[in-house]
Amino acid sequence: MPDSCSQESRPLLSIENALDSIKVAIQPVSGTEKLTLKNALGRVLAESVYAPINIPRDRNAAMDGYAFSSRDRVDGQAFMLALVGTSWAGRPFQGQLQAGQCIRIFTGAVVPERADSVIMQEQVQVQEQNVYFPADTRVLQNIREIGEDVKQDACLIAEPKKLTAVDLGLLASAGVDRLAVKRQVKIAHFSTGDELTALGRPLEPGKIYDSNRIMLGGLLTDSGYSVTDLGVIPDNKQLLEDSFIDASKNHDVIITTGGASVGEADYVKEILQNCGKVNFWKMAIKPGKPLAFGKIGGCYFFGLPGNPVAVVVTYQQIVAPALRQLSGDALVKPLRFSAICSSALKKAPGRQEYQRGILSQDERGEFFVATAGRQGSNILSSLSQGSCYIILPKACSGVLPGDKVTVEPFSLLI
Ligand code: AMP
Ligand code: MG
């Protein structure tokens, strides 16, 4: 499928083929390290964890009330039991519960052996050491059974899994405080371009501020990654080549922005061909057509386009799944669903587009999407105001208001 803007006759690579090609090329990191639970948030679990104990370990009360045995209930009649003690959370009742007896019990407190029921405190009358149960007293209620959450020796969390705050809570509930995680992926990134000016410096004629680097740094914030910001490299072939080779020696991945196209000052692909290997470099997506993926020695290389919106789109659609695979995490498909488009969208057939939209839902639960504004790959303001991509397939030649489209909500980071 030739692209009208392309200077090359070679067909552009579809995003599906690009992702497949990455899936085949990337070997997950193999090193692991032991960490305490406190340091493990966001890291990828390397060894499945099995429960060393039942959770809960003890039979305990699900609410505040009185623990008793169903054998002491008198069917269809009110009955009275003798109050002989208390079981507090963390301080179990020390005696043996006998027939005709009950105890005061609090949520989370151990239920004594003979008891099999807890009645809510609001449902009984207490007079001195006697507890009066109503005729409609329900039995076999309000007790949390041993192992009802997780049984001892059952798999608590299977590898690989990026550990969430809830996972850490689950591991803590089983008393696990050290675990094996995959080592961090070492990532170096830099911007390329003679026009780039660092923040805080005055803007000389023809120059622009470097917005890609701070954005990419933000997108790469992940405890599974150790990220080095290598600054800005001017459009100088030798300097670029030296920087690529240097960074490749002690990183797993290099990510650059700019210089990946076919202009006179675009050296990325050429350098990658000279000192490494290029897997592909032009994709049938918009924004983000020029993208170099390759390897320098053992280091993966992603040469992203220069335009800021294209950087974000190619990062999210291509680089993020690749990094997830490299970190040893399981791959997840992005959440996509259909919405009714309330705007007219311009599009030429030939490339899959990721237009920026604003998503909403009406009172009946129906999703609607409106364009977020101008769609140029340099228009960062509409990306900032948007809340989703509107994904328009290759063959689509425009959208009319009322048409159904596929949307993908932005992750929390953008
Ligand atoms: P290039 O791919 O190097 O030709 O860059 C394409 C467009 O993106 C040009 O308008 C560049 O000025 C712009 N650009 C490149 N790098 C950055 C950056 N780090 N921040 C903002 N814009 C950039
Ligand atoms: Mg450039």
Side-chain angles (χ1 to χ4, degrees):
M1 144 264 329
D3 183 271
S4 55
C5 324
S6 174
Q7 294 166 1
E8 292 208 333
S9 53
R10 246 195 319 157
L12 304 178
L13 196 70
S14 74
I15 183 127
E16 292 78 17
N17 286 344
L19 287 168
D20 282 349
S21 155
I22 285 177
K23 216 184 243 176
V24 172
I26 285 185
Q27 282 300 316
V29 294
S30 54
T32 63
E33 58 182 318
K34 288 259 180 194
L35 289 185
T36 59
L37 212 50
K38 229 180 155 169
N39 294 314
L41 183 65
R43 299 297 296 271
V44 178
L45 188 65
E47 288 168 15
S48 299
V49 180
Y50 296 86
I53 55 170
N54 282 305
I55 313 172
R57 190 192 56 179
D58 304 308
R59 254 177 6 125
N60 67 87
M63 57 175 56
D64 297 339
Y66 293 84
F68 65 102
S69 166
S70 57
R71 282 174 279 166
D72 291 334
R73 181 177 63 165
V74 182
D75 263 346
Q77 288 177 34
F79 58 100
M80 186 270 287
L81 298 174
L83 182 61
V84 296
T86 302
S87 187
W88 308 83
R91 261 191 297 144
F93 171 63
Q94 294 299 329
Q96 291 263 331
L97 198 66
Q98 309 290 339
Q101 296 181 340
C102 67
I103 59 161
R104 179 88 172 101
I105 197 160
F106 296 102
T107 306
V110 174
V111 175
E113 223 172 83
R114 190 173 182 277
D116 57 13
S117 311
V118 169
I119 189 166
M120 275 170 83
Q121 58 194 27
E122 293 85 347
Q123 291 172 0
V124 296
Q125 301 280 337
V126 184
Q127 272 170 24
E128 296 177 355
Q129 295 309 103
N130 296 329
V131 182
Y132 295 89
F133 290 71
D136 61 355
T137 294
R138 292 171 68 184
V139 295
L140 309 177
Q141 302 271 315
N142 304 325
I143 291 187
R144 300 165 175 167
E145 296 299 338
I146 291 171
E148 74 172 23
D149 186 354
V150 182
K151 299 256 181 305
Q152 185 169 0
D153 298 327
C155 186
L156 207 49
I157 305 186
E159 64 84 22
K161 169 121 206 270
K162 197 171 181 63
L163 295 167
T164 64
V166 174
D167 294 332
L168 300 189
L170 178 62
L171 291 160
S173 72
V176 174
D177 69 346
R178 275 177 79 77
L179 67 190
V181 298
K182 313 255 183 188
R183 75 161 173 85
Q184 285 180 312
V185 176
K186 288 176 272 174
I187 302 169
H189 72 101
F190 44 82
S191 295
T192 72
D194 286 342
E195 72 277 38
L196 301 179
T197 304
L199 292 175
R201 296 264 176 86
L203 210 53
E204 305 289 342
K207 306 275 183 179
I208 60 168
Y209 286 117
D210 177 3
S211 46
N212 287 345
R213 202 151 47 89
I214 188 124
M215 220 164 40
L216 203 49
L219 290 167
L220 287 166
T221 302
D222 185 308
S223 30
Y225 309 151
S226 145
V227 179
T228 319
D229 177 347
L230 292 176
V232 176
I233 321 267
D235 292 317
N236 175 307
K237 215 154 136 183
Q238 196 56 53
L239 265 179
L240 283 165
E241 184 165 335
D242 293 348
S243 310
F244 289 4
I245 290 171
D246 254 15
S248 73
K249 289 179 184 151
N250 45 12
H251 292 93
D252 301 303
V253 185
I254 297 171
I255 304 172
T256 64
T257 65
S261 195
V262 289
E264 296 293 302
D266 293 334
Y267 299 124
V268 169
K269 182 198 165 208
E270 190 186 330
I271 297 171
L272 197 55
Q273 264 165 344
N274 290 345
C275 60
K277 184 170 164 260
V278 187
N279 286 40
F280 68 81
W281 77 292
K282 280 194 158 194
M283 295 191 309
I285 64 169
K286 186 179 175 182
K289 187 175 70 169
L291 185 141
F293 169 59
K295 227 172 166 185
I296 301 175
C299 179
Y300 297 101
F301 187 100
F302 292 93
L304 306 189
N307 278 305
V309 178
V311 169
V312 176
V313 171
T314 49
Y315 176 82
Q316 290 194 312
Q317 300 297 326
I318 301 279
V319 182
L323 295 180
R324 204 172 299 132
Q325 182 176 342
L326 188 57
S327 73
D329 194 6
L331 288 179
V332 282
K333 283 204 161 199
L335 176 68
R336 288 178 184 171
F337 48 89
S338 51
I340 296 167
C341 192
S342 52
S343 317
L345 306 177
K346 278 197 203 151
K347 180 183 181 298
R351 292 196 266 164
Q352 174 153 308
E353 288 197 12
Y354 297 79
Q355 298 204 7
R356 281 69 70 201
I358 298 171
L359 194 59
S360 60
Q361 201 174 12
D362 71 5
E363 59 286 349
R364 289 173 309 149
E366 185 90 64
F367 286 105
F368 289 84
V369 66
T371 183
R374 292 174 62 90
Q375 295 289 327
S377 61
N378 59 325
I379 309 286
L380 213 40
S381 55
S382 62
L383 179 58
S384 162
Q385 282 149 25
S387 56
C388 71
Y389 292 120
I390 305 170
I391 301 178
L392 303 177
K394 203 164 67 177
C396 167
S397 57
V399 170
L400 294 172
D403 285 356
K404 280 216 160 187
V405 290
T406 299
V407 295
E408 179 183 318
F410 289 162
S411 75
L412 293 178
L413 272 182
I414 69 166

